[in-house]
Amino acid sequence: GAELRYRASAHYGERVRVTSRVARIGSRGVGFAYEVRRDDDLLATGSTEHLWIDAATRRPCSTPADLRAAFSRLAQRPTEGLG
């Protein structure tokens, strides 16, 4: 799924910073959290959930061990702005 919460507007031509982080690592997927900022102003927050799907069966499957390890390393890295 996906979720987005608007907090303030931005206008064409303004520079914004989008920050993402690994928010959740599950047995069958991974979740990300996002922030959109203009300087110190928080403009939007959001999240997405991603499931691993077996290509042959088109059914959810376990997160591959190598990807789970990579996402775990990313989740431990400090990310400015996201708590």
Side-chain angles (χ1 to χ4, degrees):
E3 180 181 306
L4 178 63
R5 182 172 179 193
Y6 289 101
R7 297 171 178 262
S9 62
H11 302 282
Y12 183 79
E14 291 181 330
R15 295 185 74 113
V16 299
R17 182 179 68 240
V18 179
T19 308
S20 65
R21 69 174 174 88
V22 176
R24 183 191 69 79
I25 303 168
S27 62
R28 293 182 173 194
V30 63
F32 295 95
Y34 308 93
E35 284 186 350
V36 180
R37 291 184 176 269
R38 179 186 51 242
D39 300 319
D40 290 331
D41 297 329
L42 181 60
L43 305 179
T45 59
S47 63
T48 56
E49 292 287 329
H50 305 266
L51 278 177
W52 304 112
I53 303 295
D54 182 279
T57 65
R58 297 189 175 193
R59 308 246 333 133
C61 62
S62 296
T63 302
D66 58 335
L67 291 177
R68 189 176 179 87
F71 283 121
S72 292
R73 285 190 301 275
L74 285 174
Q76 295 173 12
R77 291 175 47 187
T79 305
E80 176 189 334
L82 288 170

